[in-house]
Amino acid sequence: MDERLLADERFLALAIDQARTGRGEGGIPIGAVLVADGQVLGVGRNRRVQLGSAIRHGETDALENAGRLPARVYARATMYTTLSPCDMCAGAILLYGIPRVVLGENSTFLGAEELLRSRGVDVVNARSSECIELMHEFISAEPELWNEDIGVLA
């Protein structure tokens, strides 16, 4: 198996762990991991509920937890996320020049993947059945919270 594929599986598994942790805290099960040169720089999970935050999605939480980094580090990084990035998270990925995103799935929510691709970001969909199952279970159990998270009017 290709080394890059093995790394993708390993780091996506860390993002899934973050998603499960977030769900266990009463939050939305979306996790993310920022990696450069094979090293985890930051992990995160959607913590809007836990922190009462308007912007702590998985990707933005991972960026926050990675701390302030030089642009040259972001330019070598990959963002692993369990779900297709929303407009806000895609904007953060573009702002920091992260060239690659590996997402767990986009069947429960299709985010701003085309925007990312149009700006030269390599977007890889792992089509993870585990990620799909996590989101299906959550959306079924808490549709109002899900709609709030993605900005859908109830």
Side-chain angles (χ1 to χ4, degrees):
M1 189 180 276
D2 176 305
E3 280 186 45
R4 189 175 215 180
L5 184 58
L6 286 172
D8 287 351
E9 288 179 1
R10 182 169 60 117
F11 295 126
L12 185 58
L14 289 175
I16 292 169
D17 288 344
Q18 285 294 305
R20 290 192 184 288
T21 297
R23 185 66 183 132
E25 296 169 342
I28 298 161
I30 302 169
V33 179
L34 183 65
V35 175
D37 304 322
Q39 300 296 311
V40 173
L41 304 175
V43 300
R45 58 190 173 275
N46 186 308
R47 296 195 305 157
R48 290 184 67 246
V49 172
Q50 299 93 313
L51 298 176
S53 171
I55 61 168
R56 288 301 270 272
H57 282 191
E59 299 90 336
T60 56
D61 195 47
L63 286 165
E64 178 69 18
N65 290 331
R68 186 173 164 202
L69 300 169
R72 68 182 176 280
V73 175
Y74 294 116
R76 298 189 313 266
T78 297
M79 177 67 76
Y80 293 86
T81 179
T82 59
L83 189 63
S84 183
C86 71
D87 291 345
M88 176 178 68
C89 294
I93 289 163
L94 293 173
L95 177 68
Y96 290 105
I98 298 168
R100 187 166 182 263
V101 174
V102 175
L103 56 106
E105 64 102 356
N106 66 2
S107 65
T108 59
F109 175 78
L110 178 59
E113 293 173 39
E114 286 308 314
L115 171 63
L116 292 170
R117 284 186 186 99
S118 77
R119 299 281 294 275
V121 176
D122 180 22
V123 178
V124 178
N125 185 351
R127 294 177 176 80
S128 164
S129 58
E130 191 172 2
C131 291
I132 294 168
E133 183 179 317
L134 273 169
M135 288 308 299
H136 275 300
E137 289 173 0
F138 169 72
I139 292 167
S140 176
E142 301 208 43
E144 290 177 10
L145 182 54
W146 173 239
N147 285 336
E148 174 194 321
D149 195 62
I150 60 172
V152 172
L153 298 176

